[in-house]
Amino acid sequence: MEIYQPNNIKLTKYLFFTGKGGVGKTSTASATAAYLADKGKQVMLVSTDPASNLQDVFELELSNKGTEIPGIKGLVVANFDPVEAANDYKESIVGPYRGKLPDSVLENMEEQLSGSCTVEIASFNEFANFLTDKEVSNKYDHIIFDTAPTGHALRMLQLPSAWKNYLDENQSATPPLGQLSGAVDKKEMYDLAVNTLADSEKTTLMLVTRPQKGSLLEAERASKELEETGIENQTLIINGVLEEATDKVSQEFYEIQQTDLKQMPDRLAQYPAYVIPLRPYNLTGVGNIRKLLVENQEKPSVQSIEAKTFPHLQTVVDDLYSSNKKVIFTMGKGGVGKTTIAAAIATALADKGKKVHLATTDPAAHLSFVISETDNISVSHIDEDEELANYQNEVLTNARETMSKEDVAYVKEDLRSPCTQEIAVFRRFAEIVEGADSDVVVIDTAPTGHTLLLLDSTQSYHKEIEHTAGNVPESVQKLLPKLQNGKETEVVMVTLPEATPIYESARLKEDLERAGIARTWWVVNNSMLSSSTTNPMLIARAQNENTWIDKVAELSNNHHAVIEWKAEELTGNALRAIL
């Protein structure tokens, strides 16, 4: 495979970098933008990801208006704050009626716009504005979108078609309320967005992946679903390939990568594929962003790794057991190993005699490949499509019992909203926590931004559904107090010994504190620092870990554990090896 060099590839005007969280999507998008700008192109880099870390990468405060990057002529970067975008979106709908309608009506409108789905729609609104803005198109040679982790990106990219279908079918005289109330007058923009996304002369999907089996399978799933939405112009970028093995650890690392690449799914093999070698530095700051795609890199200057002893995951498990926690979340940026850590915690608690239910709300997770059910472990996965269908049927059944035909017709239209799925999934999540026949429920959650939206739904749920379903299930009413009760609930932050995942986890920590949700423990996954490698590239990466593990110790008040990188696949009995 060729080394990824943007100048040697025929690039379209619109480039969408997508992939499972943690694969280096933001780094690759940023490096591509800087590379093209340095070649004299006018470039705009836009983040539509609620969990974006562009500010960390460029070490600069960014806004949704676009910021020129000092030292990189021709590069403008825009980063959207989804909460700010949601407030702007809400005001654009409610504002025109202030002073014209009674306060009670305005309050009702604001309530219907208070749900977490408004954040999704507001972010999409910004994305569609850039995708269809003629002035932006004329000003820039390339417009690069750093999109959200795969599951979220797919929903976002599917929104144009979903909204178009919804609006085509909405023939009622009264426009929809709630989150869709600002959409009716944007149909033309959404049509143009659909056409632009599907136009291979204008748009390319850059599928970013790691040279790892799970990451490649996720990229295959994304590729298939993107094809089904009409986006067939795709390019594969494999990030973090080790070029040279010099010792046992690096040889194992190298062989695992090469084996997984040779077994790449056929669907991915049909697309152009490029490689970015593993680098010894973190992708923060303009200097390192520029270096990422340079072919002839300086050899890393390394010394031997200083032997260190860190707390093990067993320390975390022992505390969760002795404190008798009932609900345990693993949280963190996508790709840090939340599923593995959740499965290991569940296994360890079951070994101690606890009856454990392990569940996932992450549409990208492959929990069934990691752990099997036993007498003490039950496993469930929330099927989003199934939950959506069940929810729609239940709401319509209830509506028909008490509402007129006209009102039922409105409810049916409202349930076609792309936002309805979020409500359905959250309801099922609450039911699992409430009804699991176990001592402990361990939740392998979705990537950070999506997790916060789900947690926010505990407060906004009633506002979301009161105009459709009526009563809020008791499980939902009970959930937030349970999450806020530190005697029952524990959040285990999972991160990597790298800048971006730790910055993201720190922001999540602040959000959890504002919500009053208990969190004590942090787990640093896949550390090379405690390995015995003598490979210069891996040593350089390991030495960089010191700073970030120290940062985790500070953030967690020394309530943390460090897990060494393992060559073997961590499933089944092998999960006990990381304790």
Side-chain angles (χ1 to χ4, degrees):
M1 294 181 193
E2 293 182 44
I3 299 293
Y4 176 57
Q5 292 284 289
N7 209 42
N8 298 332
I9 304 172
K10 183 184 176 183
L11 297 176
T12 53
K13 176 179 282 289
Y14 300 102
L15 302 172
F16 287 82
F17 285 78
T18 191
K20 185 178 176 67
V23 297
K25 170 176 51 61
T26 297
S27 301
T28 305
S30 301
T32 301
Y35 183 103
L36 293 172
D38 283 340
K39 296 294 183 181
K41 301 292 186 182
Q42 295 297 310
V43 182
M44 184 164 210
L45 174 61
V46 182
S47 172
T48 54
D49 185 351
S52 174
N53 58 299
L54 272 181
Q55 296 195 138
D56 303 328
V57 171
F58 285 96
E59 297 180 329
L60 193 67
E61 195 72 27
L62 301 171
S63 72
N64 63 349
K65 306 302 180 186
T67 301
E68 294 182 1
I69 302 301
I72 306 182
K73 185 179 179 182
L75 176 58
V76 174
V77 180
N79 189 55
F80 295 113
D81 179 334
V83 175
E84 181 183 338
N87 288 335
D88 291 345
Y89 178 82
K90 178 162 60 174
E91 185 58 28
S92 73
I93 296 167
V94 178
Y97 298 101
R98 296 193 189 282
K100 299 178 181 179
L101 295 175
D103 289 346
S104 59
V105 175
L106 295 175
E107 288 172 5
N108 185 55
M109 290 174 68
E110 288 179 334
E111 277 193 356
Q112 292 193 43
L113 288 163
S114 294
S116 57
C117 290
T118 302
V119 175
E120 298 281 2
I121 294 169
S123 296
F124 169 70
N125 226 31
E126 299 282 7
F127 150 79
N129 280 329
F130 271 94
L131 192 61
T132 59
D133 190 313
K134 289 183 179 179
E135 184 177 338
V136 171
S137 177
N138 292 334
K139 184 175 180 180
Y140 296 100
D141 299 302
H142 296 286
I143 300 164
I144 299 174
F145 291 88
D146 167 36
T147 58
T150 304
H152 185 73
L154 289 173
R155 285 196 298 278
M156 188 169 262
L157 293 175
Q158 288 168 338
L159 273 172
S161 297
W163 286 72
K164 180 179 182 295
N165 293 340
Y166 175 81
L167 295 172
D168 283 344
E169 294 170 12
N170 181 13
Q171 302 298 324
S172 63
T174 305
L177 298 176
Q179 284 72 32
L180 285 174
S181 56
V184 175
D185 61 350
K186 298 180 184 294
K187 185 174 184 300
E188 184 177 345
M189 181 173 74
Y190 296 140
D191 284 343
L192 181 56
V194 171
N195 294 334
T196 302
L197 285 169
D199 188 340
S200 62
E201 294 298 315
K202 294 180 179 179
T203 299
T204 306
L205 256 294
M206 313 294 276
L207 286 165
V208 184
T209 183
R210 294 280 189 185
Q212 297 163 350
K213 180 180 178 181
S215 187
L216 290 164
L217 288 172
E218 180 62 31
E220 179 194 32
R221 187 181 74 88
S223 174
K224 179 177 183 293
E225 294 185 3
L226 288 164
E227 280 185 1
E228 290 172 352
T229 65
I231 305 169
E232 299 180 350
N233 188 18
Q234 301 179 21
T235 294
L236 187 67
I237 299 176
I238 303 165
N239 183 37
V241 177
L242 181 66
E243 295 183 293
E244 183 181 18
T246 59
D247 69 347
K248 184 176 184 293
V249 174
S250 60
Q251 187 64 41
E252 291 176 334
F253 193 91
Y254 178 85
E255 288 176 359
I256 290 170
Q257 287 192 343
Q258 292 302 313
T259 298
D260 289 345
L261 287 174
K262 288 175 184 176
Q263 296 174 355
M264 181 189 301
D266 292 340
R267 175 179 295 278
L268 296 181
Q270 69 177 312
Y271 290 116
Y274 301 91
V275 166
I276 298 176
L278 185 67
R279 303 303 190 197
Y281 43 81
N282 289 308
L283 262 294
T284 55
V286 168
N288 283 350
I289 291 169
R290 278 192 164 122
K291 279 170 59 178
L292 179 66
L293 302 182
V294 173
E295 286 195 76
N296 299 315
Q297 300 264 324
E298 293 181 11
K299 294 288 185 181
S301 175
V302 298
Q303 301 171 351
S304 60
I305 297 178
E306 178 186 350
K308 284 193 174 183
T309 302
F310 296 107
H312 294 283
L313 183 61
Q314 188 67 53
T315 304
V316 181
V317 172
D318 289 344
D319 181 74
L320 296 173
Y321 177 80
S322 62
S323 59
N324 200 30
K325 292 295 190 293
K326 304 296 186 186
V327 181
I328 300 166
F329 294 90
T330 55
M331 288 190 178
K333 189 175 176 68
V336 298
K338 294 188 303 295
T339 302
T340 300
I341 303 305
I345 289 173
T347 298
L349 289 174
D351 287 346
K352 284 177 170 287
K354 292 282 190 181
K355 194 171 183 181
V356 183
H357 185 87
L358 178 61
T360 178
T361 59
D362 186 345
H366 303 285
L367 199 58
S368 60
F369 296 108
V370 177
I371 192 170
S372 300
E373 292 192 316
T374 67
D375 289 344
N376 276 1
I377 299 175
S378 57
V379 178
S380 65
H381 174 263
I382 297 177
D383 184 315
E384 292 188 317
D385 292 337
E386 180 181 338
E387 294 304 327
L388 174 61
N390 291 340
Y391 178 74
Q392 289 172 326
N393 289 336
E394 180 180 322
V395 170
L396 285 172
T397 298
N398 292 339
R400 290 187 182 105
E401 292 177 358
T402 59
M403 295 183 180
S404 67
K405 288 184 178 181
E406 291 77 11
D407 287 340
V408 169
Y410 166 69
V411 170
K412 191 172 183 180
E413 288 170 353
D414 199 43
L415 287 170
R416 294 192 187 108
S417 159
C419 298
T420 305
Q421 184 166 293
E422 292 290 343
I423 299 171
V425 169
F426 180 76
R427 187 180 66 163
R428 179 64 185 135
F429 166 74
E431 289 171 353
I432 288 174
V433 173
E434 177 69 17
D437 181 20
S438 59
D439 301 317
V440 185
V441 179
V442 180
I443 306 290
D444 165 36
T445 61
T448 304
H450 189 52
T451 299
L452 291 177
L453 293 176
L454 288 175
L455 291 175
D456 179 62
S457 294
T458 55
Q459 299 179 78
S460 62
Y461 187 91
H462 182 68
K463 297 173 184 177
E464 291 275 10
I465 67 169
E466 70 179 349
H467 63 292
T468 56
N471 296 325
V472 179
E474 186 177 354
S475 60
V476 174
Q477 294 178 30
K478 290 181 177 180
L479 182 55
L480 188 57
K482 185 170 288 189
L483 296 181
Q484 292 173 325
N485 184 351
K487 292 182 179 180
E488 288 191 90
T489 299
E490 178 65 63
V491 172
V492 177
M493 286 290 188
V494 184
T495 188
L496 299 175
E498 302 170 10
T500 297
I502 290 174
Y503 280 134
E504 187 59 45
S505 294
R507 281 194 287 268
L508 175 55
K509 174 178 176 285
E510 293 173 359
D511 289 329
L512 291 172
E513 286 174 346
R514 282 195 296 272
I517 295 172
R519 80 287 161 281
T520 299
W521 288 101
W522 287 57
V523 174
V524 181
N525 196 23
N526 285 342
S527 170
M528 281 284 174
L529 194 56
S530 52
S531 75
S532 57
T533 184
T534 59
N535 179 267
M537 184 65 66
L538 297 185
I539 287 178
R541 289 187 64 83
Q543 288 173 337
N544 285 332
E545 292 179 7
N546 273 308
T547 299
W548 302 111
I549 293 176
D550 287 346
K551 183 66 174 177
V552 168
E554 176 191 336
L555 288 167
S556 67
N557 195 25
N558 289 318
H559 287 80
H560 68 290
V562 178
I563 297 176
E564 181 182 333
W565 177 84
K566 298 288 185 182
E568 67 268 23
E569 191 171 6
L570 294 174
T571 61
N573 288 331
L575 290 168
R576 295 179 175 88
I578 65 174
L579 294 170

